[in-house]
Coordinates of all heavy atoms in Angstrom, one line a residue:
M1 N 0.8 -1.2 0.0 CA 0.0 0.0 0.0 C 0.9 1.3 0.0 O 1.9 1.3 0.7 CB -0.9 0.0 1.2 CG -1.9 1.2 1.3 SD -2.9 1.1 2.7 CE -3.9 -0.3 2.4
K2 N 0.5 2.2 -0.8 CA 1.3 3.4 -0.9 C 1.2 4.2 0.4 O 0.1 4.2 1.0 CB 0.8 4.3 -2.1 CG 1.5 3.9 -3.4 CD 1.0 4.6 -4.6 CE 0.6 6.0 -4.3 NZ 0.2 6.7 -5.5
R3 N 2.3 4.9 0.7 CA 2.3 5.7 1.9 C 1.2 6.7 2.0 O 0.6 6.9 3.1 CB 3.7 6.4 2.0 CG 4.0 7.1 3.2 CD 5.3 7.8 3.1 NE 5.5 8.8 4.1 CZ 5.9 8.5 5.4 NH1 6.1 7.2 5.7 NH2 6.0 9.4 6.3
S4 N 0.9 7.4 0.9 CA -0.2 8.4 0.9 C -1.5 7.8 1.2 O -2.4 8.3 2.0 CB -0.2 9.1 -0.4 OG -0.5 8.2 -1.4
V5 N -1.8 6.6 0.7 CA -3.0 5.9 1.0 C -3.1 5.5 2.4 O -4.2 5.6 3.0 CB -3.1 4.6 0.0 CG1 -4.3 3.8 0.5 CG2 -3.3 5.1 -1.4
R6 N -2.0 5.1 3.0 CA -2.0 4.7 4.4 C -2.4 5.9 5.3 O -3.2 5.8 6.2 CB -0.7 4.2 4.8 CG -0.7 3.4 6.1 CD 0.7 3.0 6.6 NE 1.5 2.7 5.5 CZ 1.9 1.4 5.2 NH1 1.5 0.4 6.0 NH2 2.7 1.2 4.2
A7 N -1.9 7.1 4.9 CA -2.2 8.3 5.7 C -3.7 8.7 5.6 O -4.3 9.1 6.5 CB -1.3 9.5 5.2
E8 N -4.2 8.5 4.4 CA -5.7 8.7 4.2 C -6.5 7.8 5.1 O -7.5 8.2 5.7 CB -6.1 8.5 2.8 CG -5.3 9.2 1.7 CD -5.2 10.7 1.9 OE1 -6.0 11.3 2.7 OE2 -4.3 11.3 1.4
L9 N -6.1 6.6 5.2 CA -6.8 5.6 6.0 C -6.7 5.9 7.4 O -7.7 5.8 8.2 CB -6.3 4.2 5.7 CG -6.9 3.5 4.5 CD1 -6.2 2.1 4.4 CD2 -8.4 3.3 4.7
E10 N -5.6 6.4 7.9 CA -5.4 6.8 9.3 C -6.4 8.0 9.6 O -7.0 8.0 10.7 CB -4.0 7.2 9.6 CG -3.1 5.9 9.8 CD -1.6 6.2 9.9 OE1 -1.3 7.4 10.1 OE2 -0.8 5.3 9.9
T11 N -6.5 8.9 8.7 CA -7.4 10.0 8.9 C -8.8 9.5 9.0 O -9.6 9.9 9.9 CB -7.3 11.0 7.7 OG1 -6.0 11.5 7.7 CG2 -8.2 12.2 8.0
L12 N -9.2 8.6 8.1 CA -10.5 8.0 8.1 C -10.8 7.3 9.4 O -11.9 7.4 10.0 CB -10.7 7.1 6.9 CG -12.1 6.5 6.8 CD1 -13.2 7.5 6.6 CD2 -12.1 5.5 5.6
E13 N -9.8 6.6 9.9 CA -10.0 5.8 11.1 C -10.2 6.8 12.3 O -11.1 6.5 13.1 CB -8.7 4.9 11.4 CG -8.9 4.0 12.6 CD -7.8 3.0 12.7 OE1 -6.8 3.2 12.1 OE2 -8.0 2.1 13.5
K14 N -9.5 7.9 12.3 CA -9.7 8.8 13.4 C -11.1 9.4 13.4 O -11.8 9.6 14.4 CB -8.7 10.0 13.3 CG -7.3 9.7 13.7 CD -6.5 10.9 13.9 CE -5.0 10.6 14.2 NZ -4.2 10.4 13.0
M15 N -11.6 9.7 12.2 CA -12.9 10.3 12.0 C -14.0 9.2 12.4 O -14.9 9.6 13.1 CB -13.1 10.7 10.6 CG -12.3 11.9 10.2 SD -12.9 12.9 8.8 CE -13.0 11.7 7.6
L16 N -13.7 8.0 12.0 CA -14.7 6.9 12.4 C -14.7 6.8 13.9 O -15.8 6.5 14.5 CB -14.3 5.6 11.7 CG -14.8 5.3 10.4 CD1 -14.2 4.1 9.8 CD2 -16.3 5.1 10.4
Q17 N -13.6 6.8 14.6 CA -13.6 6.7 16.0 C -14.4 7.7 16.7 O -15.1 7.5 17.6 CB -12.1 6.6 16.5 CG -11.4 5.3 16.2 CD -9.9 5.4 16.5 OE1 -9.4 6.4 16.9 NE2 -9.3 4.3 16.2
L18 N -14.2 9.0 16.2 CA -14.9 10.1 16.8 C -16.4 10.0 16.6 O -17.2 10.1 17.5 CB -14.4 11.4 16.1 CG -14.7 12.7 16.8 CD1 -13.9 12.9 18.1 CD2 -14.3 13.9 15.8
Y19 N -16.8 9.6 15.4 CA -18.2 9.4 15.0 C -18.8 8.3 15.8 O -19.9 8.4 16.3 CB -18.3 9.2 13.5 CG -19.6 8.8 13.0 CD1 -20.6 9.7 12.8 CD2 -19.9 7.4 12.7 CE1 -21.9 9.3 12.3 CE2 -21.1 7.0 12.2 CZ -22.1 7.9 12.1 OH -23.3 7.5 11.6
C20 N -18.1 7.2 15.8 CA -18.7 5.9 16.4 C -18.9 6.1 17.9 O -19.9 5.7 18.4 CB -17.8 4.7 16.1 SG -18.5 3.2 16.6
R21 N -17.9 6.8 18.6 CA -18.1 6.9 20.0 C -19.4 7.7 20.3 O -20.1 7.4 21.2 CB -16.9 7.7 20.5 CG -16.7 7.5 22.0 CD -15.6 8.4 22.5 NE -14.4 8.2 21.7 CZ -13.4 9.1 21.6 NH1 -13.5 10.3 22.1 NH2 -12.4 8.9 20.8
A22 N -19.6 8.7 19.5 CA -20.8 9.6 19.7 C -22.1 8.9 19.2 O -23.1 8.9 19.9 CB -20.7 10.9 19.0
A23 N -22.0 8.2 18.1 CA -23.2 7.7 17.5 C -23.6 6.3 17.9 O -24.8 5.9 18.1 CB -23.1 7.7 15.9
H24 N -22.6 5.5 18.2 CA -22.8 4.0 18.5 C -22.2 3.6 19.8 O -22.3 2.4 20.2 CB -22.2 3.1 17.4 CG -22.6 3.6 16.0 ND1 -21.7 3.6 15.0 CD2 -23.8 4.1 15.5 CE1 -22.3 4.0 13.9 NE2 -23.6 4.3 14.2
G25 N -21.5 4.5 20.5 CA -20.8 4.1 21.8 C -19.7 3.1 21.5 O -19.3 2.3 22.4
G26 N -19.1 3.2 20.3 CA -18.0 2.3 20.0 C -16.7 2.6 20.8 O -16.4 3.7 21.1
R27 N -16.0 1.5 21.1 CA -14.7 1.6 21.8 C -13.7 0.7 21.2 O -13.6 -0.4 21.7 CB -14.9 1.3 23.3 CG -15.7 2.3 24.1 CD -16.0 1.7 25.4 NE -17.0 2.5 26.1 CZ -16.9 2.9 27.3 NH1 -15.9 2.6 28.1 NH2 -17.9 3.6 27.9
P28 N -12.9 1.0 20.3 CA -13.0 2.3 19.6 C -14.1 2.3 18.5 O -14.6 3.3 18.1 CB -11.6 2.5 19.0 CG -11.1 1.1 18.8 CD -11.8 0.3 19.8
L29 N -14.3 1.1 17.9 CA -15.3 1.1 16.8 C -16.3 -0.1 17.0 O -15.9 -1.2 17.4 CB -14.5 0.8 15.4 CG -13.7 2.0 14.9 CD1 -12.9 1.5 13.6 CD2 -14.5 3.2 14.7
C30 N -17.5 0.2 16.7 CA -18.5 -0.9 16.7 C -18.3 -1.8 15.4 O -17.5 -1.4 14.5 CB -19.9 -0.4 16.7 SG -20.4 0.4 15.2
A31 N -19.0 -2.9 15.4 CA -18.8 -3.8 14.2 C -19.1 -3.1 12.9 O -18.4 -3.3 11.9 CB -19.7 -5.1 14.4
G32 N -20.1 -2.3 12.8 CA -20.5 -1.7 11.6 C -19.5 -0.7 11.1 O -19.2 -0.6 9.9
C33 N -18.9 0.1 12.0 CA -17.9 1.1 11.7 C -16.6 0.4 11.3 O -15.9 0.8 10.4 CB -17.7 2.1 12.8 SG -19.1 3.2 12.9
R34 N -16.3 -0.7 12.0 CA -15.1 -1.5 11.6 C -15.2 -2.0 10.2 O -14.3 -2.0 9.4 CB -14.9 -2.6 12.6 CG -13.7 -3.5 12.3 CD -13.1 -4.2 13.5 NE -12.6 -3.2 14.5 CZ -11.5 -2.5 14.4 NH1 -10.7 -2.7 13.3 NH2 -11.1 -1.7 15.3
E35 N -16.4 -2.5 9.9 CA -16.7 -3.0 8.5 C -16.5 -1.9 7.5 O -15.9 -2.1 6.4 CB -18.1 -3.5 8.5 CG -18.5 -4.0 7.1 CD -20.1 -4.2 7.0 OE1 -20.8 -3.6 7.8 OE2 -20.5 -4.9 6.1
L36 N -17.0 -0.7 7.8 CA -16.8 0.4 6.9 C -15.4 0.8 6.7 O -14.9 1.1 5.6 CB -17.6 1.6 7.5 CG -17.7 2.9 6.6 CD1 -18.3 2.6 5.3 CD2 -18.5 4.0 7.3
L37 N -14.6 0.7 7.8 CA -13.1 1.0 7.6 C -12.5 0.0 6.8 O -11.7 0.3 5.9 CB -12.5 1.1 9.0 CG -11.0 1.4 9.1 CD1 -10.7 2.8 8.5 CD2 -10.4 1.3 10.5
E38 N -12.8 -1.3 7.0 CA -12.2 -2.4 6.2 C -12.6 -2.3 4.8 O -11.8 -2.6 3.9 CB -12.6 -3.7 6.8 CG -11.7 -4.0 8.1 CD -12.3 -5.2 8.9 OE1 -13.2 -5.9 8.4 OE2 -11.8 -5.4 10.0
Y39 N -13.8 -1.9 4.6 CA -14.4 -1.8 3.2 C -13.6 -0.7 2.5 O -13.1 -0.8 1.3 CB -15.8 -1.4 3.2 CG -16.5 -1.2 1.9 CD1 -17.0 -2.3 1.2 CD2 -16.6 0.0 1.3 CE1 -17.6 -2.1 0.0 CE2 -17.2 0.2 0.1 CZ -17.7 -0.9 -0.6 OH -18.3 -0.7 -1.8
S40 N -13.4 0.5 3.1 CA -12.6 1.6 2.5 C -11.2 1.2 2.3 O -10.7 1.5 1.2 CB -12.7 2.8 3.5 OG -14.0 3.2 3.7
A41 N -10.6 0.5 3.2 CA -9.2 0.0 3.0 C -9.1 -0.9 1.8 O -8.2 -0.8 1.0 CB -8.7 -0.7 4.2
E42 N -10.1 -1.8 1.6 CA -10.1 -2.7 0.5 C -10.3 -2.0 -0.8 O -9.6 -2.3 -1.8 CB -11.2 -3.7 0.8 CG -11.1 -4.9 -0.1 CD -9.9 -5.9 0.3 OE1 -9.1 -5.5 1.2 OE2 -9.8 -6.9 -0.3
R43 N -11.2 -1.0 -0.8 CA -11.4 -0.2 -2.1 C -10.1 0.5 -2.5 O -9.8 0.5 -3.6 CB -12.5 0.8 -1.9 CG -13.9 0.2 -1.5 CD -14.6 -0.3 -2.8 NE -14.2 -1.6 -3.3 CZ -14.3 -2.7 -2.6 NH1 -14.9 -2.8 -1.4 NH2 -13.9 -3.8 -3.1
L44 N -9.4 1.1 -1.5 CA -8.2 1.8 -1.8 C -7.1 0.9 -2.3 O -6.4 1.1 -3.2 CB -7.7 2.6 -0.6 CG -8.5 3.9 -0.2 CD1 -8.1 4.4 1.1 CD2 -8.4 4.9 -1.3
R45 N -7.1 -0.3 -1.6 CA -6.0 -1.2 -2.0 C -6.2 -1.8 -3.4 O -5.3 -2.1 -4.1 CB -6.0 -2.4 -0.9 CG -4.8 -3.3 -1.0 CD -4.8 -4.2 0.2 NE -5.9 -5.2 0.1 CZ -5.8 -6.3 -0.7 NH1 -4.8 -6.5 -1.5 NH2 -6.8 -7.1 -0.7
L46 N -7.5 -2.0 -3.7 CA -7.8 -2.7 -5.0 C -7.9 -1.7 -6.1 O -8.2 -2.1 -7.3 CB -9.1 -3.5 -4.8 CG -9.0 -4.7 -3.9 CD1 -10.4 -5.3 -3.8 CD2 -8.0 -5.7 -4.3
C47 N -7.8 -0.4 -5.8 CA -8.1 0.6 -6.9 C -7.2 0.3 -8.1 O -6.0 0.2 -8.0 CB -7.8 2.0 -6.4 SG -8.1 3.2 -7.6
P48 N -7.8 0.1 -9.3 CA -7.0 -0.3 -10.4 C -6.3 0.9 -11.1 O -5.6 0.8 -12.1 CB -8.0 -0.9 -11.4 CG -9.3 -0.2 -11.0 CD -9.2 0.2 -9.5
Q49 N -6.6 2.1 -10.6 CA -6.1 3.3 -11.3 C -4.7 3.7 -10.8 O -4.5 3.8 -9.6 CB -7.0 4.5 -11.1 CG -8.5 4.2 -11.5 CD -8.6 4.1 -13.0 OE1 -8.7 3.1 -13.6 NE2 -8.5 5.3 -13.7
H50 N -3.7 3.9 -11.7 CA -2.4 4.3 -11.3 C -1.9 5.4 -12.2 O -1.9 5.2 -13.4 CB -1.4 3.1 -11.4 CG -1.7 2.0 -10.5 ND1 -1.5 2.1 -9.1 CD2 -2.3 0.8 -10.7 CE1 -1.9 0.9 -8.6 NE2 -2.4 0.1 -9.5
P51 N -1.6 6.6 -11.6 CA -1.8 6.9 -10.2 C -3.3 7.1 -9.9 O -4.1 7.4 -10.8 CB -1.0 8.2 -10.1 CG -1.1 8.9 -11.4 CD -1.1 7.7 -12.4
K52 N -3.6 6.9 -8.6 CA -5.0 7.0 -8.2 C -5.5 8.4 -8.3 O -5.0 9.4 -7.8 CB -5.1 6.6 -6.8 CG -6.6 6.5 -6.4 CD -6.7 6.0 -5.0 CE -8.2 5.9 -4.6 NZ -9.1 6.7 -5.4
P53 N -6.6 8.6 -9.1 CA -7.2 9.9 -9.2 C -8.2 10.1 -8.0 O -8.4 9.2 -7.2 CB -8.0 9.9 -10.5 CG -8.4 8.4 -10.5 CD -7.3 7.6 -9.9
A54 N -8.7 11.4 -7.8 CA -9.8 11.5 -6.9 C -10.9 10.6 -7.3 O -11.2 10.5 -8.5 CB -10.2 13.0 -6.8
C55 N -11.6 10.1 -6.3 CA -12.6 9.1 -6.7 C -13.7 9.7 -7.5 O -14.3 9.0 -8.4 CB -13.3 8.5 -5.4 SG -12.1 7.3 -4.5
K56 N -14.0 11.0 -7.3 CA -15.1 11.6 -8.1 C -14.7 11.7 -9.6 O -15.5 11.8 -10.5 CB -15.5 13.0 -7.5 CG -14.5 14.1 -7.7 CD -15.1 15.4 -7.3 CE -14.0 16.5 -7.0 NZ -13.1 16.7 -8.2
D57 N -13.3 11.7 -9.9 CA -12.9 11.7 -11.2 C -12.6 10.4 -11.8 O -12.1 10.2 -12.9 CB -11.6 12.6 -11.3 CG -11.8 14.0 -10.9 OD1 -12.9 14.5 -11.1 OD2 -10.9 14.6 -10.3
C58 N -12.9 9.4 -11.0 CA -12.5 8.0 -11.4 C -13.6 7.3 -12.1 O -14.8 7.4 -11.7 CB -12.1 7.2 -10.1 SG -11.6 5.5 -10.5
P59 N -13.4 6.6 -13.2 CA -14.5 6.0 -14.0 C -15.0 4.7 -13.3 O -16.0 4.2 -13.7 CB -13.8 5.7 -15.3 CG -12.3 5.5 -15.0 CD -12.1 6.5 -13.9
V60 N -14.3 4.2 -12.3 CA -14.6 2.9 -11.8 C -15.8 3.0 -10.8 O -16.6 2.1 -10.8 CB -13.4 2.3 -11.1 CG1 -13.7 0.9 -10.5 CG2 -12.3 2.1 -12.1
H61 N -15.8 4.0 -9.9 CA -16.9 4.1 -8.9 C -17.1 2.9 -8.1 O -18.1 2.2 -8.1 CB -18.2 4.5 -9.6 CG -18.2 5.9 -10.2 ND1 -17.9 7.0 -9.5 CD2 -18.5 6.3 -11.4 CE1 -18.0 8.0 -10.3 NE2 -18.3 7.6 -11.5
C62 N -16.0 2.5 -7.4 CA -16.0 1.2 -6.8 C -16.7 1.2 -5.5 O -17.1 0.1 -5.0 CB -14.5 0.7 -6.6 SG -13.5 1.8 -5.5
Y63 N -17.0 2.3 -4.9 CA -17.8 2.3 -3.6 C -19.3 2.1 -4.0 O -19.8 2.7 -5.0 CB -17.8 3.7 -3.0 CG -16.7 3.9 -1.9 CD1 -15.4 4.2 -2.3 CD2 -17.0 3.8 -0.6 CE1 -14.4 4.3 -1.3 CE2 -16.1 4.0 0.4 CZ -14.8 4.2 0.0 OH -13.8 4.4 0.9
S64 N -19.9 1.2 -3.3 CA -21.4 1.0 -3.5 C -22.1 2.3 -2.9 O -21.5 3.0 -2.0 CB -21.9 -0.2 -2.7 OG -21.9 0.1 -1.3
P65 N -23.2 2.6 -3.5 CA -23.9 3.9 -3.1 C -24.2 3.9 -1.5 O -24.0 4.9 -0.9 CB -25.2 3.8 -3.9 CG -24.9 3.1 -5.1 CD -23.9 2.0 -4.6
A66 N -24.5 2.7 -1.0 CA -24.8 2.7 0.5 C -23.6 3.0 1.3 O -23.6 3.7 2.3 CB -25.4 1.3 0.8
M67 N -22.5 2.3 0.9 CA -21.2 2.6 1.7 C -20.7 4.0 1.5 O -20.3 4.6 2.5 CB -20.1 1.6 1.2 CG -20.4 0.2 1.6 SD -20.6 0.0 3.4 CE -19.4 -1.3 3.8
R68 N -20.9 4.5 0.3 CA -20.5 5.9 0.1 C -21.3 6.8 1.0 O -20.7 7.8 1.5 CB -20.8 6.2 -1.4 CG -20.0 7.4 -1.9 CD -20.4 7.6 -3.4 NE -20.2 9.0 -3.8 CZ -19.1 9.5 -4.3 NH1 -18.1 8.7 -4.5 NH2 -19.1 10.8 -4.5
E69 N -22.6 6.6 1.1 CA -23.4 7.4 1.9 C -23.0 7.3 3.4 O -23.0 8.3 4.1 CB -24.9 7.0 1.8 CG -25.9 8.0 2.5 CD -25.6 9.5 2.2 OE1 -25.4 9.8 1.0 OE2 -25.6 10.2 3.2
R70 N -22.6 6.2 3.8 CA -22.1 6.0 5.2 C -20.8 6.8 5.5 O -20.7 7.4 6.5 CB -21.9 4.5 5.5 CG -23.2 3.8 5.8 CD -23.1 2.3 5.9 NE -22.3 1.9 7.0 CZ -22.0 0.6 7.3 NH1 -22.4 -0.3 6.5 NH2 -21.3 0.3 8.4
V71 N -19.9 6.8 4.5 CA -18.7 7.5 4.7 C -19.0 9.0 4.7 O -18.4 9.8 5.5 CB -17.7 7.2 3.5 CG1 -16.5 8.1 3.6 CG2 -17.2 5.7 3.6
R72 N -19.9 9.4 3.8 CA -20.3 10.9 3.8 C -20.8 11.3 5.2 O -20.5 12.4 5.7 CB -21.3 11.1 2.8 CG -20.8 11.0 1.3 CD -22.0 11.2 0.4 NE -22.4 12.6 0.3 CZ -22.0 13.5 -0.6 NH1 -21.2 13.1 -1.6 NH2 -22.4 14.7 -0.6
E73 N -21.6 10.4 5.8 CA -22.2 10.8 7.1 C -21.1 10.9 8.1 O -21.2 11.9 9.0 CB -23.2 9.7 7.5 CG -24.1 10.1 8.7 CD -25.0 8.9 9.1 OE1 -25.3 8.1 8.2 OE2 -25.3 8.9 10.3
V74 N -20.2 10.0 8.1 CA -19.1 10.1 9.1 C -18.3 11.4 8.9 O -18.0 12.1 9.8 CB -18.1 8.9 8.9 CG1 -16.8 9.1 9.7 CG2 -18.8 7.6 9.3
M75 N -18.0 11.8 7.6 CA -17.3 13.0 7.4 C -18.0 14.2 7.8 O -17.5 15.2 8.2 CB -16.9 13.0 5.9 CG -15.9 11.9 5.5 SD -15.4 11.9 3.8 CE -14.0 13.0 3.9
R76 N -19.3 14.2 7.6 CA -20.2 15.3 8.0 C -20.1 15.6 9.5 O -20.0 16.7 9.9 CB -21.6 15.1 7.6 CG -22.0 15.7 6.3 CD -23.5 15.9 6.2 NE -24.2 14.6 6.3 CZ -24.5 13.8 5.2 NH1 -24.1 14.2 4.0 NH2 -25.2 12.7 5.4
Y77 N -20.1 14.5 10.2 CA -20.0 14.6 11.7 C -18.6 15.0 12.1 O -18.4 15.9 12.9 CB -20.5 13.3 12.3 CG -20.3 13.4 13.8 CD1 -21.2 13.9 14.6 CD2 -19.1 12.9 14.4 CE1 -21.1 14.1 16.0 CE2 -18.9 13.0 15.8 CZ -19.9 13.6 16.6 OH -19.7 13.7 17.9
A78 N -17.6 14.2 11.7 CA -16.3 14.2 12.3 C -15.4 15.3 11.6 O -14.6 15.9 12.3 CB -15.6 12.9 12.1
G79 N -15.7 15.7 10.4 CA -14.9 16.7 9.7 C -14.7 18.0 10.5 O -13.6 18.4 10.8
P80 N -15.8 18.6 10.9 CA -15.7 19.9 11.6 C -15.1 19.7 13.0 O -14.7 20.7 13.6 CB -17.1 20.4 11.7 CG -17.9 19.6 10.7 CD -17.2 18.3 10.6
R81 N -15.1 18.5 13.6 CA -14.7 18.3 14.9 C -13.2 17.9 15.0 O -12.7 17.8 16.1 CB -15.5 17.2 15.6 CG -16.9 17.7 15.9 CD -17.9 16.6 16.2 NE -19.2 17.0 16.6 CZ -20.1 17.3 15.7 NH1 -19.9 17.3 14.4 NH2 -21.3 17.8 16.1
L82 N -12.6 17.7 13.9 CA -11.2 17.3 13.9 C -10.3 18.4 13.6 O -10.6 19.1 12.6 CB -10.9 16.1 12.9 CG -11.2 14.7 13.4 CD1 -10.6 13.8 12.3 CD2 -10.6 14.4 14.7
A83 N -9.2 18.6 14.3 CA -8.3 19.7 14.0 C -7.3 19.1 13.0 O -6.1 19.0 13.2 CB -7.6 20.2 15.2
L84 N -7.8 18.6 11.9 CA -7.0 17.9 10.9 C -7.3 18.5 9.5 O -7.6 17.7 8.6 CB -7.3 16.4 10.9 CG -6.7 15.6 12.1 CD1 -7.3 14.2 12.1 CD2 -5.2 15.6 12.1
R85 N -7.4 19.8 9.4 CA -7.9 20.3 8.2 C -7.1 19.8 6.9 O -7.7 19.5 6.0 CB -7.8 21.9 8.3 CG -8.5 22.5 7.2 CD -8.6 24.0 7.4 NE -8.9 24.7 6.2 CZ -10.0 24.7 5.5 NH1 -11.0 24.0 6.0 NH2 -10.1 25.4 4.4
R86 N -5.8 19.9 7.0 CA -5.1 19.5 5.8 C -5.2 18.0 5.4 O -5.5 17.7 4.3 CB -3.6 19.9 5.9 CG -3.4 21.2 5.3 CD -2.2 21.9 5.8 NE -1.0 21.1 5.7 CZ 0.2 21.6 5.2 NH1 0.2 22.8 4.7 NH2 1.2 20.9 5.2
P87 N -5.1 17.1 6.4 CA -5.3 15.7 6.0 C -6.8 15.5 5.5 O -7.0 14.7 4.7 CB -5.1 14.9 7.3 CG -4.3 15.8 8.2 CD -4.5 17.2 7.7
L88 N -7.7 16.2 6.1 CA -9.1 16.1 5.7 C -9.3 16.5 4.3 O -9.9 15.8 3.5 CB -10.0 16.9 6.6 CG -11.5 16.7 6.3 CD1 -12.0 15.3 6.4 CD2 -12.3 17.6 7.2
L89 N -8.6 17.6 3.9 CA -8.7 18.0 2.5 C -8.2 17.0 1.6 O -8.7 16.8 0.5 CB -8.1 19.4 2.4 CG -8.8 20.6 3.0 CD1 -8.0 21.8 2.8 CD2 -10.2 20.8 2.4
A90 N -7.1 16.4 2.0 CA -6.4 15.4 1.2 C -7.4 14.2 1.0 O -7.5 13.7 -0.1 CB -5.1 15.0 1.8
L91 N -8.0 13.8 2.1 CA -8.9 12.7 2.0 C -10.1 13.0 1.2 O -10.5 12.2 0.4 CB -9.4 12.3 3.5 CG -10.2 11.1 3.6 CD1 -9.5 9.8 3.2 CD2 -10.8 11.0 5.0
R92 N -10.6 14.2 1.3 CA -11.8 14.6 0.5 C -11.4 14.5 -1.0 O -12.2 14.1 -1.8 CB -12.1 16.1 0.8 CG -13.0 16.2 2.0 CD -13.8 17.4 1.8 NE -15.1 17.3 2.6 CZ -15.4 18.0 3.6 NH1 -14.6 19.0 4.0 NH2 -16.5 17.8 4.2
H93 N -10.2 15.0 -1.3 CA -9.7 15.0 -2.7 C -9.7 13.5 -3.2 O -10.1 13.2 -4.3 CB -8.4 15.6 -2.8 CG -7.8 15.5 -4.1 ND1 -8.2 16.3 -5.2 CD2 -6.8 14.7 -4.6 CE1 -7.5 15.9 -6.3 NE2 -6.7 15.0 -6.0
L94 N -9.1 12.7 -2.3 CA -8.9 11.3 -2.7 C -10.3 10.6 -3.0 O -10.5 9.9 -3.9 CB -8.1 10.5 -1.7 CG -7.7 9.1 -2.1 CD1 -6.6 9.2 -3.1 CD2 -7.2 8.4 -0.8
L95 N -11.2 10.8 -2.0 CA -12.5 10.1 -2.1 C -13.5 10.9 -3.0 O -14.5 10.3 -3.4 CB -13.1 9.9 -0.7 CG -12.2 8.9 0.2 CD1 -12.9 8.8 1.5 CD2 -12.1 7.5 -0.4
G96 N -13.2 12.2 -3.1 CA -14.1 13.0 -4.0 C -15.4 13.4 -3.3 O -16.4 13.6 -3.9
F97 N -15.4 13.5 -1.9 CA -16.6 13.9 -1.2 C -16.5 15.4 -0.9 O -15.6 15.9 -0.4 CB -16.7 13.1 0.1 CG -16.9 11.7 -0.1 CD1 -16.5 10.8 0.9 CD2 -17.6 11.2 -1.2 CE1 -16.7 9.4 0.7 CE2 -17.7 9.8 -1.4 CZ -17.3 8.9 -0.4
Ligands
ZN101 ZN1 -20.0 2.7 15.0

């Protein structure tokens, strides 16, 4: 896995932990949020595009609509609460949200 992708995943994991604690009482993650993190990791790992474009510019659209909506919800909650503006922008660019 590329170093930049790993950094994006760490950002996503932090946001999921923040969201899950508030929404599901997860410590650190409930089963559903862990599934979402693993799903995202798998999508990034399997991305056939090299170099990887932002997902919104990608012709593959590998996220299922339901999973994509779940990630959006996490970002809506956790984005403004994390002092991680730059990594968040990078993640947004990557995922295209
Ligand atoms: Zn959760």
Side-chain angles (χ1 to χ4, degrees):
M1 183 179 292
K2 275 175 35 177
R3 188 184 164 79
S4 61
V5 168
R6 199 189 319 255
E8 309 306 342
L9 273 179
E10 282 172 11
T11 303
L12 181 62
E13 186 172 13
K14 285 195 185 86
M15 293 201 302
L16 269 172
Q17 287 171 356
L18 198 67
Y19 169 81
C20 188
R21 199 184 311 151
H24 312 138
R27 294 170 192 224
L29 291 177
C30 72
C33 289
R34 178 153 299 285
E35 180 195 18
L36 186 57
L37 182 64
E38 283 168 8
Y39 180 86
S40 298
E42 196 69 356
R43 297 279 80 66
L44 287 171
R45 195 172 67 77
L46 295 177
C47 183
Q49 304 291 105
H50 297 287
K52 186 178 179 339
C55 288
K56 71 174 164 52
D57 299 325
C58 181
V60 177
H61 293 305
C62 59
Y63 268 81
S64 74
M67 289 305 234
R68 197 178 153 93
E69 186 49 44
R70 282 169 69 183
V71 173
R72 288 177 73 98
E73 190 183 334
V74 170
M75 293 180 88
R76 263 199 301 271
Y77 175 84
R81 289 168 176 81
L82 276 190
L84 286 172
R85 189 168 160 72
R86 264 155 56 129
L88 180 62
L89 288 176
L91 184 66
R92 277 209 152 115
H93 174 74
L94 190 71
L95 295 177
F97 295 150

